[in-house]
């Protein structure tokens, strides 16, 4: 069938009615033997090939699968084929493609062949006792890339584990392996982050798993959605190793009080016609333009047709699999704006009913990378449709990001922290996470807001501040000026409702030497430089204080729709400065109200304080003042380019 005809065929209700299939898919071993199943309703023939190796030699056996109802093809054997590699020849319209199993749970080198796996065999010791640590009062997420996190010698990680899952299991690493300055897990724990978000750890295609050890890619090019990436394993050849090592990493993070979020990229596949999804059912999993060509809403060559029922099932199954098999605590959806709201809500519901309400975090990018060709009637999960999403499905808030550090259009554009335009009302919007009933707000509650200033995309916060403070070319900003702006930006971020998120290294002035999109830049650009964490320990400490304080402030941690009623007043003491007064009542706090004074100017800013006993919690220099807070009354003063956070004592 022509591609355009297929589009009409797959979009018809009759197709779903006749072929939607709920049978288990993939390969599985049990006491009865091994079962293979693949959904391929348009295929004329499906042949299974069995291999002893994951990457070399010919098949030692082949078997025709039997066609059953609803497009399901199966083959059974009484043998236990645990550890055997396999793949399928799928013939559609006379054309045969060799593919890996779309439901593969294990694979050989570079994901070319799938592997039958008895998953119990991949569990590290103590895995059955592994539990996520107790949820804290706030979620503060640190985004890391397995390779750039520990590949540098400064990480203090033994060479054989650098850039690997294994590095995430080491608890006592220090800068260069000497002294007491922590790195990696040791550092994250000390800073007080509650979650790490792993940039893609499913199997992706841009890095040869047996190739140059210095090859680098972010990994937004999915090949096998349900198998870990092999280049982060100590052995990419044997399918069970990457599984065990990723589980060990999750286990170690859990043991150290940190929950684990996974970055998932269901919106497109690395290849189109060479992907296993395309090979199994040509075009079914992909959105098409009217002429039959692939729609490119991802900007990466293809986009997934999440509104089709077996595609929706595929994504839901995959999320549930990672949550169950790998104990993953949350999911960050890349280009969530390409997936439909029905599917996202269904995923939320399925996770809630299995693990408890809100237990697993769910959020994504509420935008796409291009124009989508979704089926008419489909509502996509972009920023304009957040009201259609469950209140516990979050989205990155670009409003706060751009207000604080300047827009992305021009590296020199400025924000609150870099002498850009300032407006107290915008500041109040940021504080409220752009949530609630307000014409400028897209988020229905702070539970939907991911407040952030930096992620792997675009310039690091440090680089953006350097660019925007640069002014005319003769003036190079002094490090202390950038630091001052960085601290102000951080203080504003920590006064924003919603969940907090940052790129690893934001808290030590991470630089990618001005490179904006470093997805395939060399390691020297991407590597996390842990010596810098030691050099910038003033900044690191400032973040650490903000993290610790934040967890104790109910006025900011509140995720309910009603959180916006905590706003008491917005004050504008002078041009370029603003204050937001918040109701902070709640469990475990000494302060009934907060006063957040932001001074973006080069002059000191003083403002009259309302009646009551106020104490200084944070100023531009220290974020630990709350440990021994000085009292202040009548008037408060914020130094140039700084934040001042005050708490009003209860009673
Ligand atoms: Ca791979």
């Amino acid at each position: 069938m022509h591609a355009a005809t297929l589009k009409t065929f797959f979009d018809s209700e009759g197709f779903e009615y006749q072929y939607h299939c709920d049978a288990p898919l993939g390969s599985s071993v049990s006491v009865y033997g091994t079962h293979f199943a693949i959904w391929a309703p348009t295929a004329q023939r499906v042949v299974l090939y069995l291999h002893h190796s994951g990457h070399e030699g010919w098949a030692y056996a082949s078997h025709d699968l039997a066609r059953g109802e609803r497009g399901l093809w199966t083959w059974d054997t009484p043998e236990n084929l645990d550890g055997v590699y396999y793949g399928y020849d799928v013939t559609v319209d006379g054309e045969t493609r060799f593919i890996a199993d779309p439901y593969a749970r294990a694979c050989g080198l570079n994901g070319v062949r799938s592997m039958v796996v008895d998953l119990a065999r991949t569990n590290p010791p103590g895995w059955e006792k592994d539990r996520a640590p107790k949820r804290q009062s706030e979620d503060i997420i640190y985004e890391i890339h397995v390779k750039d996190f520990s590949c540098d010698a400064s990480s203090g990680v033994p060479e054989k584990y650098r850039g690997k899952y294994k590095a995430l299991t080491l608890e006592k690493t220090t800068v260069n392996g000497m002294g007491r300055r922590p790195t990696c897990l040791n550092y994250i724990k000390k800073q007080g982050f509650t979650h790490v978000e792993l940039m893609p750890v499913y199997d992706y295609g841009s890095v040869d798993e047996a190739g140059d050890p210095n090859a680098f890619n972010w990994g937004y090019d999915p090949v096998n959605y349900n198998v870990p990436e092999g280049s982060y394993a100590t052995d990419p050849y044997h399918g069970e190793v990457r599984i065990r090592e990723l589980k060990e990493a999750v286990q170690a993070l859990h043991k150290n009080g940190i929950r684990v979020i996974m970055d998932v990229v269901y919106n497109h596949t690395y290849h189109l016609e060479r992907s296993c999804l395309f090979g199994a059912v040509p075009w079914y999993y992909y959105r098409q333009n009217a002429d039959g060509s692939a729609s490119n809403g991802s900007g990466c060559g293809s986009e997934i047709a999440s509104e089709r029922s077996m595609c929706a099932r595929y994504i839901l199954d995959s999320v549930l699999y990672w949550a169950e098999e790998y104990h993953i605590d949350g999911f960050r959806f890349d280009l969530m704006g390409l997936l439909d709201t029905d599917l996202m809500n269904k995923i939320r519901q399925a996770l809630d009913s299995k693990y408890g309400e809100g237990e697993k975090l769910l959020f994504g990018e509420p935008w796409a990378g291009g124009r989508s060709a979704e089926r008419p009637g489909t509502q996509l999960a972009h920023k304009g449709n957040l009201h259609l999403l469950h209140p516990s499905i979050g989205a990155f808030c670009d409003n706060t990001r751009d207000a604080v550090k300047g827009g992305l259009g021009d590296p020199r554009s400025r924000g609150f922290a870099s002498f850009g335009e300032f407006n107290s009302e915008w500041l109040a919007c940021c504080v409220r996470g752009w949530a609630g009933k307000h014409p400028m707000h897209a988020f229905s509650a702070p539970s939907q807001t991911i407040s952030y200033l930096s992620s792997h995309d675009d310039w690091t916060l440090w680089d953006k501040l350097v660019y925007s403070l640069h002014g005319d070319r003769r003036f190079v900003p002094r490090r202390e000026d950038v630091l001052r702006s960085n601290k102000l930006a951080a203080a504003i971020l920590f006064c924003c409702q919603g969940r907090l998120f940052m790129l690893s290294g934001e808290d030590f002035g991470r630089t990618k030497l001005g490179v904006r999109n470093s997805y395939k830049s060399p390691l020297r650009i991407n590597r996390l430089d842990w010596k810098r964490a030691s050099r910038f320990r003033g900044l690191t400490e400032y973040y650490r204080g903000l993290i610790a304080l934040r967890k104790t402030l109910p006025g900011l941690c509140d995720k309910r729709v009603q959180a916006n009623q905590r706003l008491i007043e917005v004050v504008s003491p002078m041009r370029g400065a603003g204050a937001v007064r918040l109701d902070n009542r709640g469990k475990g706090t000494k302060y009934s109200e907060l006063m957040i004074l932001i001074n973006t100017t080069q002059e000191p800013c003083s403002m009259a304080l309302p009646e009551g006993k106020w104490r200084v919690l944070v100023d531009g220099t220290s974020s630990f003042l709350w440990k021994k807070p000085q009292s202040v009354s009548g008037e408060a003063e914020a130094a140039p380019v700084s934040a001042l956070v005050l708490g009003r004592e209860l009673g």
Side-chain angles (χ1 to χ4, degrees):
M1 251 189 278
H2 185 266
T5 321
L6 274 173
K7 172 177 155 65
T8 319
F9 177 55
F10 291 141
D11 277 343
S12 69
E13 276 181 35
F15 180 84
E16 303 275 331
Y17 183 76
Q18 193 175 353
Y19 292 112
H20 180 87
C21 173
D22 288 318
L25 296 170
S27 63
S28 55
V29 281
S30 70
V31 289
Y32 304 106
T34 308
H35 175 72
F36 292 84
I38 180 171
W39 185 71
T42 53
Q44 283 93 49
R45 189 180 177 205
V46 181
V47 181
L48 168 71
Y49 291 92
L50 299 175
H51 299 259
H52 292 302
S53 159
H55 62 285
E56 57 191 7
W58 299 98
Y60 71 83
S62 67
H63 303 278
D64 262 86
L65 273 70
R67 185 177 184 130
E69 289 187 348
R70 302 195 158 271
L72 184 69
W73 297 74
T74 57
W75 185 73
D76 287 274
T77 170
E79 272 183 274
N80 182 329
L81 298 184
D82 178 26
V84 167
Y85 294 84
Y86 69 100
Y88 295 112
D89 260 351
V90 179
T91 306
V92 178
D93 282 340
E95 201 173 332
T96 302
R97 293 182 179 87
F98 177 82
I99 56 166
D101 183 353
Y103 270 79
R105 271 102 180 167
C107 67
L109 187 70
N110 288 323
V112 179
R113 293 176 190 166
S114 306
M115 188 185 98
V116 178
V117 64
D118 177 358
L119 285 161
R121 199 167 60 87
T122 65
N123 293 344
W127 183 245
E128 42 314 311
K129 291 202 195 77
D130 172 69
R131 296 283 177 279
K134 205 172 156 290
R135 191 85 166 269
Q136 300 188 37
S137 52
E138 185 57 282
D139 302 310
I140 305 170
I141 304 163
Y142 207 51
E143 182 190 43
I144 69 172
H145 180 283
V146 174
K147 190 152 191 171
D148 73 34
F149 185 62
S150 66
C151 63
D152 196 67
S154 65
S155 66
V157 168
E159 200 170 346
K160 62 179 176 176
Y161 290 164
R162 283 181 207 153
K164 307 288 184 195
Y165 299 122
K166 279 279 190 188
L168 295 169
T169 66
L170 305 176
E171 296 174 352
K172 297 197 170 128
T173 53
T174 53
V175 175
N176 287 330
M178 296 179 291
R180 297 166 70 177
R181 302 268 166 224
T183 63
C184 302
L185 170 55
N186 199 8
Y187 175 86
I188 295 176
K189 198 177 161 183
K190 185 177 177 201
Q191 286 297 81
F193 292 103
T194 63
H195 290 67
V196 297
E197 177 183 307
L198 301 173
M199 284 168 67
V201 289
Y202 56 73
D203 174 44
Y204 61 80
S206 53
V207 167
D208 179 356
E209 296 174 359
D212 176 5
N214 291 316
F216 182 87
N217 203 288
W218 282 347
Y220 292 86
D221 44 83
V223 175
N224 286 289
Y225 280 108
N226 301 301
V227 183
E229 162 60 17
S231 62
Y232 304 147
T234 55
D235 169 1
Y237 298 94
H238 297 92
E240 66 283 3
V241 179
R242 55 179 79 188
I243 301 177
R244 182 176 305 115
E245 290 182 350
L246 177 54
K247 286 178 175 176
E248 284 170 354
V250 173
Q251 188 179 33
L253 287 160
H254 281 170
K255 196 177 137 227
N256 285 281
I258 297 156
R259 291 191 168 212
V260 184
I261 297 168
M262 181 179 169
D263 192 336
V264 287
V265 188
Y266 296 112
N267 65 76
H268 75 282
T269 56
Y270 186 33
H271 302 292
L272 176 66
E273 302 204 15
R274 281 195 287 140
S275 88
C276 55
L277 292 173
F278 192 98
V281 195
W283 288 111
Y284 177 81
Y285 295 95
Y286 297 90
R287 294 197 182 120
Q288 292 167 270
N289 301 311
D291 64 0
S293 61
S295 176
N296 185 18
S298 68
C300 301
S302 65
E303 72 179 273
I304 286 286
S306 66
E307 64 274 28
R308 288 183 177 156
S309 79
M310 287 302 282
C311 186
R313 179 193 157 181
Y314 184 80
I315 296 169
L316 176 63
D317 283 351
S318 178
V319 170
L320 292 174
Y321 173 71
W322 287 105
E324 189 62 19
E325 187 62 33
Y326 290 83
H327 304 178
I328 296 292
D329 307 301
F331 298 89
R332 176 260 188 207
F333 282 73
D334 190 64
L335 304 186
M336 181 174 73
L338 283 178
L339 304 182
D340 63 287
T341 55
D342 284 352
L343 172 61
M344 290 307 301
N345 287 329
K346 213 168 149 181
I347 293 171
R348 178 74 271 170
Q349 216 166 28
L351 289 170
D352 283 353
S353 67
K354 200 156 177 200
Y355 301 101
E357 213 167 296
E359 178 65 13
K360 304 282 183 187
L361 284 183
L362 210 54
F363 58 95
E365 294 180 301
W367 49 74
R371 224 182 121 82
S372 175
E374 74 276 15
R375 181 161 61 189
T378 303
Q379 302 287 349
L380 298 182
H382 55 62
K383 210 167 159 189
N385 278 339
L386 295 181
H387 62 286
L388 300 175
L389 288 174
H390 187 287
S392 289
I393 298 176
F396 285 94
C397 176
D398 50 350
N399 307 45
T400 292
R401 181 194 71 194
D402 293 354
V404 175
K405 71 172 186 181
L408 296 178
D410 173 358
R412 304 224 170 159
S413 66
R414 294 153 177 255
F416 297 169
S418 45
F419 307 109
E421 205 182 331
F422 177 84
N423 172 322
S424 316
E425 286 301 326
W426 293 354
L427 174 67
C429 290
C430 293
V431 169
R432 287 191 286 173
W434 300 84
K437 287 196 176 63
H438 184 289
M440 281 166 77
H441 293 181
F443 301 82
S444 51
S447 59
Q448 280 196 330
T449 312
I450 300 292
S451 295
Y452 79 117
L453 301 177
S454 71
S455 77
H456 63 271
D457 279 317
D458 300 302
W459 302 284
T460 66
L461 177 59
W462 182 267
D463 288 349
K464 171 73 177 167
L465 290 174
V466 170
Y467 273 129
S468 51
L469 291 174
H470 207 272
D472 70 72
R473 281 167 189 279
R474 284 163 301 163
F475 168 76
V476 177
R478 293 176 307 169
R479 178 184 284 186
E480 58 258 44
D481 290 336
V482 187
L483 270 173
R484 197 170 60 158
S485 283
N486 196 330
K487 283 182 171 177
L488 172 59
I492 299 173
L493 174 68
F494 278 84
C495 288
C496 293
Q497 291 177 339
R499 298 194 161 85
L500 302 179
F501 173 101
M502 74 186 66
L503 172 66
S504 48
E506 183 190 302
D507 48 342
F508 48 87
R510 183 175 188 172
T511 176
K512 292 184 188 169
L513 308 177
V515 174
R516 181 176 189 175
N517 184 354
S518 66
Y519 80 104
K520 60 174 185 182
S521 298
L523 285 176
R524 76 186 158 79
I525 301 293
N526 279 297
R527 56 117 199 215
L528 213 44
D529 176 4
W530 291 99
K531 294 191 297 294
R532 197 173 169 93
S534 180
R535 270 205 312 279
F536 280 67
R537 55 183 175 272
L539 184 59
T540 292
E541 197 177 289
Y542 195 73
Y543 273 85
R544 186 164 70 246
L546 292 172
I547 291 170
L549 173 64
R550 168 67 179 235
K551 293 176 185 173
T552 68
L553 300 176
L556 295 170
C557 295
D558 193 347
K559 299 284 177 287
R560 300 168 308 146
V561 178
Q562 300 91 314
N564 67 26
Q565 291 164 14
R566 289 180 175 274
L567 182 77
I568 300 169
E569 61 171 337
V570 182
V571 188
S572 305
M574 65 182 232
R575 198 182 157 85
V580 177
R581 188 172 157 205
L582 274 190
D583 179 345
N584 186 51
R585 283 172 301 174
K587 236 170 67 184
T589 182
K590 283 185 270 187
Y591 307 107
S592 61
E593 288 179 12
L594 298 175
M595 182 70 84
I596 300 155
L597 172 58
I598 302 300
N599 178 11
T600 71
T601 74
Q602 297 274 29
E603 308 298 324
C605 166
S606 59
M607 73 172 277
L609 285 174
E611 295 275 299
K613 281 188 197 161
W614 291 89
R615 293 202 177 253
V616 186
L617 309 181
V618 171
D619 69 10
T621 313
S622 171
S623 60
F624 276 110
L625 299 176
W626 51 275
K627 287 211 155 177
K628 273 191 190 162
Q630 303 265 318
S631 51
V632 53
S633 61
E635 199 171 76
E637 188 179 284
V641 195
S642 79
L644 188 68
V645 183
L646 307 170
R648 182 186 195 158
E649 284 194 354
L650 282 166

